[in-house]
Amino acid sequence: MTYDLYIGDRTFSSWSLRGWLMLEKFGLPYRAHLVGLYSGTMAQDLAPLAPARLVPALRLPDGTVVGETLAMAETLAERHPDAGLWPADPAARATARWLCAAMASGFGALRGACPMQLQHVWEGFDPDADTRQDLERIEDLWRHARSQSRSAGPWLFGAYSLAEVFYAPVAARIVGYDLPVSADARAYCDATIHDPAFKTWRAAGLETAYEPFPYELGLPKRDWPVATAA
């Protein structure tokens, strides 16, 4: 029973990172297929998955196609109830679903101003007021999750869950643009980018060189703070 996951370029595709983590982190069998976001072959590559038009897209073992990461998450959690994708506690599970839905539908200013990139850290990036407001809202949600779950560990609900999957690209943005957040939020972001699965994803992305570099800002840059996986 193997899933087929269609993803975009690992260095830049935040939604693809989410789709991959929900399979990789919970030990679900899959084959990854790279779609040409920047080579101009995206429509052709996704044609067998119609009507899916965006990455990630998931094909189930019976051939059913599922698009949109929230639908993928619920489908996998339903098919693998013992894998621990959602928190076991009902209140924590409801809160985690809320956080994931908020991520899927919101934070447009942060997304627009700070496209995910995993190659380096921009220096001197100054987020506008709307982006700062998004960051404040994200921190509010993270604090609420910890208050509700009483988690003192690195993850929002104790064990790694779909909440971490959905907020991994947010953590990458905070790191990659050196965005102003609290020490607690920074620690959560650091735990995310130090996670072995995240490091594996980033290392695979670095195998592709881009010229010119997408989303160039013309700012100074420094090295990404975590070495790639060995």
Side-chain angles (χ1 to χ4, degrees), residues 132-212:
R132 289 175 182 269
Q133 187 172 32
D134 276 356
L135 291 170
E136 291 173 3
R137 176 59 175 164
I138 289 165
E139 289 208 55
D140 282 344
L141 290 173
W142 290 354
R143 281 191 292 266
H144 175 69
R146 290 190 182 280
S147 173
Q148 193 279 329
S149 67
R150 296 182 174 85
S151 173
W155 309 125
L156 297 174
F157 296 95
Y160 191 103
S161 76
L162 285 168
E164 274 66 55
V165 166
F166 272 74
Y167 282 88
V170 171
R173 286 177 165 97
I174 290 171
V175 172
Y177 292 79
D178 196 16
L179 297 175
V181 295
S182 69
D184 287 345
R186 179 67 63 173
Y188 178 68
C189 295
D190 287 345
T192 297
I193 66 171
H194 278 83
D195 182 76
F198 187 100
K199 290 167 67 176
T200 296
W201 171 272
R202 179 173 178 266
L206 294 180
E207 294 176 4
T208 301
Y210 297 89
E211 186 59 45

Side-chain angles (χ1 to χ4, degrees), residues 17 22 34 38 71 102 111-112 125 127 130 133 162 169 171 201 212 230:
L17 171 58
M22 67 180 69
L34 189 63
Y38 297 93
R111 293 180 190 175
F125 180 80
D130 289 339
Q133 187 172 32
L162 285 168
W201 171 272

Side-chain angles (χ1 to χ4, degrees), residues 5-26 30 32-35 37 54-58 68-70 72-73 76 103 114-119 160-176 188-189 191-205 224:
L5 177 69
Y6 290 75
I7 59 174
D9 297 59
R10 292 174 176 88
T11 298
F12 305 105
S13 182
S14 58
W15 292 102
S16 295
L17 171 58
R18 293 184 179 95
W20 183 82
L21 283 173
M22 67 180 69
L23 292 160
E24 177 71 16
K25 285 294 296 183
F26 298 98
Y30 68 93
H33 307 272
L34 189 63
V35 171
L37 290 182
L54 300 172
V55 289
L58 184 69
E68 299 295 339
T69 51
L70 275 176
M72 291 167 54
L76 292 173
M103 180 65 256
C114 305
M116 190 185 82
Q117 60 81 27
L118 305 179
Q119 283 202 1
Y160 191 103
S161 76
L162 285 168
E164 274 66 55
V165 166
F166 272 74
Y167 282 88
V170 171
R173 286 177 165 97
I174 290 171
V175 172
Y188 178 68
C189 295
T192 297
I193 66 171
H194 278 83
D195 182 76
F198 187 100
K199 290 167 67 176
T200 296
W201 171 272
R202 179 173 178 266
W224 188 260

Side-chain angles (χ1 to χ4, degrees), residues 49-116:
L49 301 178
R53 298 176 62 185
L54 300 172
V55 289
L58 184 69
R59 185 163 58 207
L60 307 187
D62 66 2
T64 301
V65 175
V66 183
E68 299 295 339
T69 51
L70 275 176
M72 291 167 54
E74 291 289 6
T75 298
L76 292 173
E78 181 180 64
R79 291 171 63 88
H80 303 276
D82 297 325
L85 280 80
W86 290 119
D89 177 75
R93 187 164 61 249
T95 305
R97 283 192 166 110
W98 174 19
L99 264 67
C100 291
M103 180 65 256
S105 64
F107 312 125
L110 174 64
R111 293 180 190 175
C114 305
M116 190 185 82

